[in-house]
Amino acid sequence: MPFAETPLRDEYAAAVERVARRTLDALRGDGGTAALADPDGAVPRPTLAALRVLGADLFAPQLLAGAAPDGPTSVLLAEARQAFPAPDSAAASADAALVIAWQDWAAGQVLARTPYGTGAPPPVPPPGPEAVGWQTWSVRMAQLSVLALPGLDGPVHDTARAHTLALARGTVRSMLRRDLPTAARLTRWLAWAGAEGRPLRLEVEPVLERIRLAGNGSARTGLELAVARRLLDRSSRPPTDRRSRVR
């Protein structure tokens, strides 16, 4: 019933913000852990759901600092993935199922570097902008912004490298539509492409600053912006200083 579901939905949304805020604080602390577990070791179900939503981004502080994923966060994410398995593909649209599959792949790739998970082959590659148009493709890339992290690589990343102009167009379109969360996620992809040595078709810094000033101040969007800024720092290094990609 709607009256019963709305408070629960709000509780889960608040949990996502709390976990995103802790992760953002850790990222600003140069690679620390987010200390996601409560002191007594209990993990409320909304927190597990939030861990499931953030996925690989839980490890952004370590990955951007060139460190290994931390054990406590890995344990929690593995528990969250068991508590909230991926929905049956028959219960979701094909597009939604594909996005979830790639988000899960990213989380699994990070967990595979720990004792708490194993890697898996990449899902079916999503169609590129030449097949669905740059508008539709950029929306999907925004949904997959969690993949824009050091050490992750696959078909989605190959497409991002090849279509930075489409990413820039999607970013500008989102800014004009005042869809700042989508713009933040696409700008993160642009920053990632810059760190990969690809030419940027848009000045990223002013876009990030505009989103920061005009946004709603959510921790989730703040995390996207912080990751993008750290990726921009990597793009300013000489090519020999950039860390190699891991497939």
Side-chain angles (χ1 to χ4, degrees):
M1 296 177 60
F3 293 106
E5 291 174 358
T6 299
L8 185 60
R9 188 183 301 115
D10 291 345
E11 185 178 359
Y12 277 51
V16 171
E17 277 293 289
R18 286 196 301 272
V19 174
R21 174 62 61 189
R22 292 190 186 185
T23 306
L24 178 58
D25 290 344
L27 179 57
R28 289 171 173 167
D30 296 324
T33 60
L36 299 169
D38 293 335
D40 61 0
V43 184
R45 191 168 176 82
T47 299
L48 288 175
L51 295 167
R52 185 74 168 80
V53 168
L54 289 172
D57 264 350
L58 297 169
F59 303 98
Q62 293 94 55
L63 297 179
L64 287 162
D70 68 285
T73 303
S74 301
V75 171
L76 289 175
L77 180 56
E79 181 180 348
R81 282 158 65 90
Q82 289 184 339
F84 294 93
D88 188 338
S89 58
S93 69
D95 286 346
L98 187 60
V99 168
I100 292 170
W102 274 103
Q103 292 170 340
D104 280 355
W105 174 84
Q109 290 296 104
V110 179
L111 283 179
R113 304 175 204 176
T114 76
Y116 309 105
T118 56
V124 176
E130 65 281 355
V132 297
W134 64 265
Q135 295 97 328
T136 298
W137 178 76
S138 63
V139 170
R140 180 173 291 118
M141 290 299 288
Q143 295 168 335
L144 295 176
S145 64
V146 70
L147 275 70
L149 282 171
L152 293 176
D153 203 1
V156 173
H157 302 81
D158 292 337
T159 308
R161 292 186 190 97
H163 296 287
T164 54
L165 180 57
L167 289 172
R169 285 174 171 170
T171 303
V172 172
R173 178 173 182 263
S174 299
M175 293 293 288
L176 292 174
R177 292 163 63 93
R178 299 183 181 179
D179 183 358
L180 299 185
T182 296
R185 293 165 185 160
L186 290 173
T187 306
R188 171 174 167 174
W189 270 117
L190 283 171
W192 175 90
E196 291 283 298
R198 304 301 299 170
L200 296 182
R201 308 302 184 98
L202 187 68
E203 291 188 43
V204 174
E205 281 283 4
V207 176
L208 292 176
E209 183 63 12
R210 174 61 181 168
I211 295 171
R212 185 187 70 82
L213 292 173
N216 60 9
S218 76
R220 188 88 185 273
T221 299
L223 182 59
E224 299 280 357
L225 296 177
V227 171
R229 289 190 182 279
R230 292 291 291 272
L231 288 167
L232 276 181
D233 291 342
R234 294 170 66 92
S235 69
S236 65
R237 301 176 190 171
T240 54
D241 289 345
R242 295 178 189 140
R243 304 189 188 280
S244 61
R245 299 190 297 273
V246 179
R247 286 192 181 270

mmCIF file of all heavy atoms in Angstrom, residues 176-207:
data_model
loop_
_atom_site.group_PDB
_atom_site.id
_atom_site.type_symbol
_atom_site.label_atom_id
_atom_site.label_comp_id
_atom_site.label_asym_id
_atom_site.label_seq_id
_atom_site.Cartn_x
_atom_site.Cartn_y
_atom_site.Cartn_z
ATOM 1 N N LEU A 176 21.361 21.998 -19.456
ATOM 2 C CA LEU A 176 20.289 22.848 -19.976
ATOM 3 C C LEU A 176 18.928 22.420 -19.436
ATOM 4 O O LEU A 176 18.035 23.260 -19.239
ATOM 5 C CB LEU A 176 20.285 22.807 -21.504
ATOM 6 C CG LEU A 176 21.484 23.467 -22.194
ATOM 7 C CD1 LEU A 176 21.440 23.220 -23.700
ATOM 8 C CD2 LEU A 176 21.529 24.960 -21.896
ATOM 9 N N ARG A 177 18.760 21.141 -19.194
ATOM 10 C CA ARG A 177 17.506 20.628 -18.645
ATOM 11 C C ARG A 177 17.468 20.730 -17.121
ATOM 12 O O ARG A 177 16.504 20.311 -16.492
ATOM 13 C CB ARG A 177 17.329 19.167 -19.064
ATOM 14 C CG ARG A 177 17.102 18.994 -20.548
ATOM 15 C CD ARG A 177 17.335 17.553 -20.995
ATOM 16 N NE ARG A 177 16.406 16.630 -20.363
ATOM 17 C CZ ARG A 177 15.245 16.242 -20.885
ATOM 18 N NH1 ARG A 177 14.887 16.709 -22.076
ATOM 19 N NH2 ARG A 177 14.458 15.387 -20.271
ATOM 20 N N ARG A 178 18.527 21.241 -16.529
ATOM 21 C CA ARG A 178 18.669 21.378 -15.077
ATOM 22 C C ARG A 178 18.606 20.031 -14.368
ATOM 23 O O ARG A 178 18.175 19.930 -13.218
ATOM 24 C CB ARG A 178 17.621 22.341 -14.508
ATOM 25 C CG ARG A 178 17.737 23.743 -15.086
ATOM 26 C CD ARG A 178 16.741 24.694 -14.463
ATOM 27 N NE ARG A 178 16.852 26.026 -15.046
ATOM 28 C CZ ARG A 178 16.096 27.064 -14.715
ATOM 29 N NH1 ARG A 178 15.160 26.910 -13.784
ATOM 30 N NH2 ARG A 178 16.254 28.233 -15.301
ATOM 31 N N ASP A 179 19.040 19.014 -15.066
ATOM 32 C CA ASP A 179 19.152 17.676 -14.484
ATOM 33 C C ASP A 179 20.581 17.521 -13.980
ATOM 34 O O ASP A 179 21.426 16.880 -14.616
ATOM 35 C CB ASP A 179 18.807 16.618 -15.544
ATOM 36 C CG ASP A 179 18.825 15.203 -14.981
ATOM 37 O OD1 ASP A 179 19.134 15.038 -13.777
ATOM 38 O OD2 ASP A 179 18.531 14.263 -15.750
ATOM 39 N N LEU A 180 20.855 18.134 -12.830
ATOM 40 C CA LEU A 180 22.234 18.218 -12.348
ATOM 41 C C LEU A 180 22.803 16.869 -11.899
ATOM 42 O O LEU A 180 23.992 16.626 -12.095
ATOM 43 C CB LEU A 180 22.322 19.250 -11.222
ATOM 44 C CG LEU A 180 21.936 20.674 -11.628
ATOM 45 C CD1 LEU A 180 22.180 21.645 -10.480
ATOM 46 C CD2 LEU A 180 22.698 21.122 -12.866
ATOM 47 N N PRO A 181 22.017 15.974 -11.297
ATOM 48 C CA PRO A 181 22.591 14.662 -10.974
ATOM 49 C C PRO A 181 23.106 13.914 -12.207
ATOM 50 O O PRO A 181 24.191 13.328 -12.179
ATOM 51 C CB PRO A 181 21.423 13.919 -10.303
ATOM 52 C CG PRO A 181 20.586 15.010 -9.706
ATOM 53 C CD PRO A 181 20.666 16.127 -10.701
ATOM 54 N N THR A 182 22.336 13.955 -13.302
ATOM 55 C CA THR A 182 22.788 13.309 -14.532
ATOM 56 C C THR A 182 24.026 14.010 -15.078
ATOM 57 O O THR A 182 24.986 13.356 -15.526
ATOM 58 C CB THR A 182 21.667 13.308 -15.583
ATOM 59 O OG1 THR A 182 20.583 12.503 -15.094
ATOM 60 C CG2 THR A 182 22.149 12.738 -16.911
ATOM 61 N N ALA A 183 24.029 15.329 -15.036
ATOM 62 C CA ALA A 183 25.202 16.076 -15.505
ATOM 63 C C ALA A 183 26.438 15.721 -14.692
ATOM 64 O O ALA A 183 27.541 15.576 -15.242
ATOM 65 C CB ALA A 183 24.926 17.575 -15.426
ATOM 66 N N ALA A 184 26.287 15.561 -13.382
ATOM 67 C CA ALA A 184 27.425 15.205 -12.537
ATOM 68 C C ALA A 184 27.989 13.838 -12.923
ATOM 69 O O ALA A 184 29.204 13.645 -12.993
ATOM 70 C CB ALA A 184 27.005 15.210 -11.067
ATOM 71 N N ARG A 185 27.110 12.892 -13.194
ATOM 72 C CA ARG A 185 27.561 11.544 -13.539
ATOM 73 C C ARG A 185 28.257 11.519 -14.893
ATOM 74 O O ARG A 185 29.261 10.820 -15.070
ATOM 75 C CB ARG A 185 26.364 10.589 -13.511
ATOM 76 C CG ARG A 185 25.811 10.388 -12.117
ATOM 77 C CD ARG A 185 24.441 9.756 -12.131
ATOM 78 N NE ARG A 185 23.888 9.695 -10.778
ATOM 79 C CZ ARG A 185 22.611 9.561 -10.495
ATOM 80 N NH1 ARG A 185 21.730 9.465 -11.494
ATOM 81 N NH2 ARG A 185 22.191 9.510 -9.254
ATOM 82 N N LEU A 186 27.738 12.283 -15.847
ATOM 83 C CA LEU A 186 28.382 12.330 -17.155
ATOM 84 C C LEU A 186 29.709 13.082 -17.099
ATOM 85 O O LEU A 186 30.670 12.724 -17.788
ATOM 86 C CB LEU A 186 27.443 12.981 -18.171
ATOM 87 C CG LEU A 186 26.223 12.134 -18.549
ATOM 88 C CD1 LEU A 186 25.263 12.938 -19.419
ATOM 89 C CD2 LEU A 186 26.642 10.851 -19.258
ATOM 90 N N THR A 187 29.763 14.122 -16.273
ATOM 91 C CA THR A 187 31.024 14.845 -16.111
ATOM 92 C C THR A 187 32.076 13.940 -15.481
ATOM 93 O O THR A 187 33.265 14.023 -15.814
ATOM 94 C CB THR A 187 30.807 16.106 -15.259
ATOM 95 O OG1 THR A 187 29.758 16.881 -15.819
ATOM 96 C CG2 THR A 187 32.069 16.951 -15.211
ATOM 97 N N ARG A 188 31.641 13.066 -14.603
ATOM 98 C CA ARG A 188 32.564 12.076 -14.032
ATOM 99 C C ARG A 188 33.149 11.192 -15.128
ATOM 100 O O ARG A 188 34.346 10.912 -15.130
ATOM 101 C CB ARG A 188 31.828 11.247 -12.989
ATOM 102 C CG ARG A 188 32.607 10.047 -12.474
ATOM 103 C CD ARG A 188 31.854 9.386 -11.345
ATOM 104 N NE ARG A 188 32.378 8.064 -11.011
ATOM 105 C CZ ARG A 188 31.961 7.331 -9.987
ATOM 106 N NH1 ARG A 188 31.008 7.783 -9.203
ATOM 107 N NH2 ARG A 188 32.491 6.147 -9.752
ATOM 108 N N TRP A 189 32.325 10.762 -16.079
ATOM 109 C CA TRP A 189 32.832 9.978 -17.200
ATOM 110 C C TRP A 189 33.831 10.784 -18.024
ATOM 111 O O TRP A 189 34.855 10.244 -18.478
ATOM 112 C CB TRP A 189 31.683 9.508 -18.084
ATOM 113 C CG TRP A 189 31.104 8.188 -17.712
ATOM 114 C CD1 TRP A 189 29.832 7.930 -17.284
ATOM 115 C CD2 TRP A 189 31.757 6.903 -17.753
ATOM 116 N NE1 TRP A 189 29.660 6.585 -17.058
ATOM 117 C CE2 TRP A 189 30.827 5.927 -17.331
ATOM 118 C CE3 TRP A 189 33.054 6.497 -18.095
ATOM 119 C CZ2 TRP A 189 31.138 4.574 -17.256
ATOM 120 C CZ3 TRP A 189 33.372 5.147 -18.015
ATOM 121 C CH2 TRP A 189 32.430 4.203 -17.603
ATOM 122 N N LEU A 190 33.547 12.065 -18.240
ATOM 123 C CA LEU A 190 34.484 12.892 -18.981
ATOM 124 C C LEU A 190 35.817 12.998 -18.248
ATOM 125 O O LEU A 190 36.886 12.911 -18.868
ATOM 126 C CB LEU A 190 33.891 14.287 -19.208
ATOM 127 C CG LEU A 190 32.829 14.406 -20.298
ATOM 128 C CD1 LEU A 190 32.188 15.792 -20.253
ATOM 129 C CD2 LEU A 190 33.429 14.144 -21.668
ATOM 130 N N ALA A 191 35.756 13.171 -16.930
ATOM 131 C CA ALA A 191 36.989 13.236 -16.151
ATOM 132 C C ALA A 191 37.741 11.911 -16.230
ATOM 133 O O ALA A 191 38.975 11.888 -16.319
ATOM 134 C CB ALA A 191 36.665 13.588 -14.700
ATOM 135 N N TRP A 192 37.010 10.820 -16.196
ATOM 136 C CA TRP A 192 37.636 9.503 -16.334
ATOM 137 C C TRP A 192 38.325 9.386 -17.692
ATOM 138 O O TRP A 192 39.465 8.902 -17.791
ATOM 139 C CB TRP A 192 36.588 8.402 -16.175
ATOM 140 C CG TRP A 192 37.126 7.025 -16.419
ATOM 141 C CD1 TRP A 192 37.681 6.185 -15.493
ATOM 142 C CD2 TRP A 192 37.178 6.328 -17.672
ATOM 143 N NE1 TRP A 192 38.084 5.010 -16.105
ATOM 144 C CE2 TRP A 192 37.785 5.077 -17.434
ATOM 145 C CE3 TRP A 192 36.766 6.644 -18.966
ATOM 146 C CZ2 TRP A 192 37.993 4.144 -18.449
ATOM 147 C CZ3 TRP A 192 36.985 5.725 -19.983
ATOM 148 C CH2 TRP A 192 37.580 4.486 -19.713
ATOM 149 N N ALA A 193 37.640 9.813 -18.756
ATOM 150 C CA ALA A 193 38.229 9.757 -20.094
ATOM 151 C C ALA A 193 39.494 10.614 -20.163
ATOM 152 O O ALA A 193 40.485 10.236 -20.810
ATOM 153 C CB ALA A 193 37.215 10.213 -21.146
ATOM 154 N N GLY A 194 39.473 11.768 -19.501
ATOM 155 C CA GLY A 194 40.669 12.597 -19.467
ATOM 156 C C GLY A 194 41.824 11.901 -18.777
ATOM 157 O O GLY A 194 42.979 12.002 -19.206
ATOM 158 N N ALA A 195 41.521 11.185 -17.684
ATOM 159 C CA ALA A 195 42.561 10.426 -16.987
ATOM 160 C C ALA A 195 43.102 9.301 -17.847
ATOM 161 O O ALA A 195 44.225 8.830 -17.638
ATOM 162 C CB ALA A 195 42.006 9.871 -15.670
ATOM 163 N N GLU A 196 42.302 8.860 -18.817
ATOM 164 C CA GLU A 196 42.731 7.829 -19.757
ATOM 165 C C GLU A 196 43.490 8.412 -20.943
ATOM 166 O O GLU A 196 43.892 7.675 -21.847
ATOM 167 C CB GLU A 196 41.503 7.071 -20.275
ATOM 168 C CG GLU A 196 40.838 6.208 -19.230
ATOM 169 C CD GLU A 196 41.614 4.930 -18.991
ATOM 170 O OE1 GLU A 196 41.757 4.134 -19.916
ATOM 171 O OE2 GLU A 196 42.091 4.744 -17.853
ATOM 172 N N GLY A 197 43.667 9.716 -20.947
ATOM 173 C CA GLY A 197 44.400 10.352 -22.023
ATOM 174 C C GLY A 197 43.560 10.724 -23.223
ATOM 175 O O GLY A 197 44.097 11.102 -24.268
ATOM 176 N N ARG A 198 42.229 10.643 -23.087
ATOM 177 C CA ARG A 198 41.364 10.998 -24.192
ATOM 178 C C ARG A 198 41.106 12.503 -24.202
ATOM 179 O O ARG A 198 41.088 13.150 -23.147
ATOM 180 C CB ARG A 198 40.023 10.265 -24.083
ATOM 181 C CG ARG A 198 40.137 8.768 -24.004
ATOM 182 C CD ARG A 198 40.848 8.211 -25.210
ATOM 183 N NE ARG A 198 40.103 8.522 -26.432
ATOM 184 C CZ ARG A 198 40.578 8.327 -27.666
ATOM 185 N NH1 ARG A 198 41.815 7.888 -27.829
ATOM 186 N NH2 ARG A 198 39.833 8.596 -28.715
ATOM 187 N N PRO A 199 40.925 13.095 -25.391
ATOM 188 C CA PRO A 199 40.657 14.540 -25.450
ATOM 189 C C PRO A 199 39.280 14.862 -24.876
ATOM 190 O O PRO A 199 38.297 14.185 -25.172
ATOM 191 C CB PRO A 199 40.705 14.844 -26.958
ATOM 192 C CG PRO A 199 40.369 13.543 -27.617
ATOM 193 C CD PRO A 199 40.948 12.477 -26.735
ATOM 194 N N LEU A 200 39.227 15.875 -24.032
ATOM 195 C CA LEU A 200 37.956 16.300 -23.460
ATOM 196 C C LEU A 200 37.300 17.318 -24.388
ATOM 197 O O LEU A 200 37.950 18.259 -24.849
ATOM 198 C CB LEU A 200 38.173 16.909 -22.074
ATOM 199 C CG LEU A 200 38.717 15.949 -21.012
ATOM 200 C CD1 LEU A 200 38.834 16.666 -19.679
ATOM 201 C CD2 LEU A 200 37.811 14.734 -20.877
ATOM 202 N N ARG A 201 36.031 17.136 -24.673
ATOM 203 C CA ARG A 201 35.311 18.018 -25.589
ATOM 204 C C ARG A 201 34.550 19.095 -24.835
ATOM 205 O O ARG A 201 33.703 19.777 -25.419
ATOM 206 C CB ARG A 201 34.336 17.187 -26.427
ATOM 207 C CG ARG A 201 34.944 15.981 -27.121
ATOM 208 C CD ARG A 201 36.089 16.358 -28.047
ATOM 209 N NE ARG A 201 36.581 15.200 -28.766
ATOM 210 C CZ ARG A 201 36.226 14.880 -30.006
ATOM 211 N NH1 ARG A 201 35.352 15.634 -30.639
ATOM 212 N NH2 ARG A 201 36.713 13.815 -30.602
ATOM 213 N N LEU A 202 34.858 19.242 -23.544
ATOM 214 C CA LEU A 202 34.133 20.186 -22.704
ATOM 215 C C LEU A 202 35.040 20.565 -21.547
ATOM 216 O O LEU A 202 35.825 19.740 -21.069
ATOM 217 C CB LEU A 202 32.853 19.528 -22.174
ATOM 218 C CG LEU A 202 31.854 20.385 -21.400
ATOM 219 C CD1 LEU A 202 31.207 21.400 -22.340
ATOM 220 C CD2 LEU A 202 30.777 19.497 -20.769
ATOM 221 N N GLU A 203 34.961 21.835 -21.118
ATOM 222 C CA GLU A 203 35.715 22.252 -19.936
ATOM 223 C C GLU A 203 35.004 21.717 -18.700
ATOM 224 O O GLU A 203 33.909 22.162 -18.358
ATOM 225 C CB GLU A 203 35.832 23.775 -19.885
ATOM 226 C CG GLU A 203 36.729 24.361 -20.966
ATOM 227 C CD GLU A 203 36.972 25.842 -20.745
ATOM 228 O OE1 GLU A 203 37.206 26.232 -19.580
ATOM 229 O OE2 GLU A 203 36.927 26.595 -21.730
ATOM 230 N N VAL A 204 35.652 20.780 -18.036
ATOM 231 C CA VAL A 204 34.986 20.045 -16.966
ATOM 232 C C VAL A 204 34.920 20.851 -15.669
ATOM 233 O O VAL A 204 33.906 20.823 -14.970
ATOM 234 C CB VAL A 204 35.691 18.696 -16.739
ATOM 235 C CG1 VAL A 204 35.108 17.972 -15.535
ATOM 236 C CG2 VAL A 204 35.562 17.832 -17.993
ATOM 237 N N GLU A 205 35.962 21.554 -15.330
ATOM 238 C CA GLU A 205 36.004 22.269 -14.051
ATOM 239 C C GLU A 205 34.832 23.241 -13.872
ATOM 240 O O GLU A 205 34.184 23.239 -12.822
ATOM 241 C CB GLU A 205 37.334 23.005 -13.903
ATOM 242 C CG GLU A 205 38.498 22.125 -13.480
ATOM 243 C CD GLU A 205 38.456 21.807 -11.989
ATOM 244 O OE1 GLU A 205 37.487 22.211 -11.304
ATOM 245 O OE2 GLU A 205 39.376 21.144 -11.521
ATOM 246 N N PRO A 206 34.531 24.111 -14.861
ATOM 247 C CA PRO A 206 33.378 25.014 -14.676
ATOM 248 C C PRO A 206 32.061 24.270 -14.502
ATOM 249 O O PRO A 206 31.181 24.729 -13.770
ATOM 250 C CB PRO A 206 33.382 25.854 -15.957
ATOM 251 C CG PRO A 206 34.771 25.767 -16.484
ATOM 252 C CD PRO A 206 35.254 24.400 -16.112
ATOM 253 N N VAL A 207 31.920 23.135 -15.183
ATOM 254 C CA VAL A 207 30.689 22.356 -15.038
ATOM 255 C C VAL A 207 30.569 21.817 -13.613
ATOM 256 O O VAL A 207 29.504 21.895 -12.985
ATOM 257 C CB VAL A 207 30.647 21.202 -16.060
ATOM 258 C CG1 VAL A 207 29.407 20.345 -15.846
ATOM 259 C CG2 VAL A 207 30.667 21.747 -17.478
#
